Amino acid sequence: MTAMIRKAAMLIAVTAGLGFSAAAQADYFVRPVLQYQGSLQDGIDINGATSNSQTYYDGSTALEAHVDLSDGTIKTLLSRYGPSNNFSGATGVMGDTIRYTGASDVAVAFTYDFNVDLFVDQAFVDDPNDARYLALDVYFAVFEAGTGANWESWTIFSPYGDLALYNDRAFVTFQDEGESFSYNYAGSLGTDLFLESGKSYEVYAAFNLLATPGSMPGEITMDALHTSTIGIVAPGGSFTSESGAFLGFDKTPTPGAVPEPASWAMMIAGFGLIGNTMRRRAGLVMA
């Protein structure tokens, strides 16, 4: 069991925030990750695409991870057959920077709701060294922008974890459910926060399915393809986002941005109209 927990921690370190560097700052990112037999499929995209997916099938193993900023969802699937002592994981991670405009005395609700359907149909084997391991590991955090938290260092385990306005984890193992069972587990992370108008904030989420079939023959399926969703409700204000996609929020304007050529043409034409009007008015006064 200790070995399985260590392997799970290795996956979380890769995908949700134990590594860190000064050059890792990003406005937004999506990161679907699959791990199986020591290999890693990492679909990270920083300041680029706002959705991405990874899939793996080999006949006895099915792994999927889908991350989409536009609706705030992370969807994962892990299906395995035993016996096998190979560890596997299906993970999604996302983050975006949002700017709040509105009342500072009306709370904003941040939520991350998730659930997973488990179907396990295995035959009991009396093996004291059985390595079966099933777990769900979820993270959710909100930071003020500029703390140093970033796409690879933001969870409660990172050096910046204590700087968050909110940072929490839900970790659940399914070791005591028996060799065969069907079960739905639902949970939620989140809090209400009072934000300052005009300030930017960073929102992060990670969702991990982790499993090793162990010595028992049969199927293990952990299905979280239906829902794992971020929600933000601001009764006293509104948001924009750096991605221009997150939860449907428009793109945050860049301060002091240089107008596009078409905009310049419209502005020049406008100045010309203003000049003509002023000249006409001056002529009327002089007359």
Side-chain angles (χ1 to χ4, degrees):
M1 182 63 66
T2 300
M4 291 301 101
I5 295 174
R6 189 161 54 244
K7 289 179 180 179
M10 288 171 62
L11 176 63
I12 295 163
V14 170
T15 60
L18 291 182
F20 56 95
S21 70
Q25 191 64 41
D27 292 323
Y28 63 91
F29 70 95
V30 290
R31 192 176 193 183
V33 180
L34 305 178
Q35 181 170 307
Y36 181 57
Q37 292 185 332
S39 65
L40 195 72
Q41 290 182 204
D42 192 343
I44 188 166
D45 198 327
I46 301 173
N47 290 342
T50 58
S51 65
N52 203 5
S53 298
Q54 293 288 306
T55 59
Y56 174 87
Y57 298 97
D58 69 358
S60 63
T61 297
L63 303 173
E64 297 184 28
H66 312 276
V67 183
D68 191 342
L69 286 175
S70 66
D71 56 9
T73 59
I74 300 173
K75 301 178 181 181
T76 54
L77 171 73
L78 189 157
S79 183
R80 298 283 310 278
Y81 282 86
S84 173
N85 286 334
N86 288 321
F87 174 79
S88 56
T91 294
V93 194
M94 68 163 62
D96 205 340
T97 304
I98 57 177
R99 182 180 296 172
Y100 176 66
T101 302
S104 59
D105 59 349
V106 180
V108 176
F110 290 84
T111 57
Y112 185 41
D113 299 321
F114 53 89
N115 69 69
V116 56
D117 289 320
L118 294 99
F119 174 79
V120 179
D121 186 14
Q122 291 189 289
F124 178 73
V125 176
D126 189 9
D127 182 353
N129 298 313
D130 181 47
R132 189 175 82 165
Y133 181 79
L134 309 174
L136 171 68
D137 204 5
V138 187
Y139 299 79
F140 187 44
V142 181
F143 288 79
E144 282 191 13
T147 63
N150 53 60
W151 63 269
E152 62 177 355
S153 187
W154 60 269
T155 70
I156 58 175
F157 297 111
S158 85
Y160 307 104
D162 290 341
L163 301 178
L165 298 175
Y166 171 81
N167 204 341
D168 204 358
R169 176 197 191 197
F171 179 69
V172 184
T173 63
F174 306 97
Q175 299 302 101
D176 302 324
E177 299 294 334
E179 67 266 29
S180 295
F181 63 93
S182 295
Y183 182 59
N184 174 266
Y185 182 85
S188 183
L189 297 175
T191 191
D192 291 345
L193 296 173
F194 292 94
L195 307 183
E196 186 175 332
S197 187
K199 273 198 170 183
S200 293
Y201 300 86
E202 296 165 0
V203 181
Y204 301 96
F207 187 89
N208 302 271
L209 296 178
L210 314 168
T212 298
S215 59
M216 293 187 284
E219 177 186 359
I220 291 174
T221 295
M222 306 174 73
D223 183 352
L225 289 175
H226 38 301
T227 181
S228 168
T229 308
I230 293 174
I232 302 177
V233 178
S238 61
F239 288 98
T240 57
S241 68
E242 289 296 329
S243 69
F246 187 49
L247 301 182
F249 301 151
D250 291 336
K251 190 165 182 64
T252 300
T254 302
V258 177
E260 296 293 327
S263 299
W264 274 117
M266 292 178 65
M267 290 172 64
I268 292 170
F271 291 149
L273 290 172
I274 293 170
N276 289 334
T277 301
M278 292 179 67
R279 282 192 293 272
R280 285 197 301 270
R281 288 179 178 175
L284 288 172
V285 172
M286 292 175 64

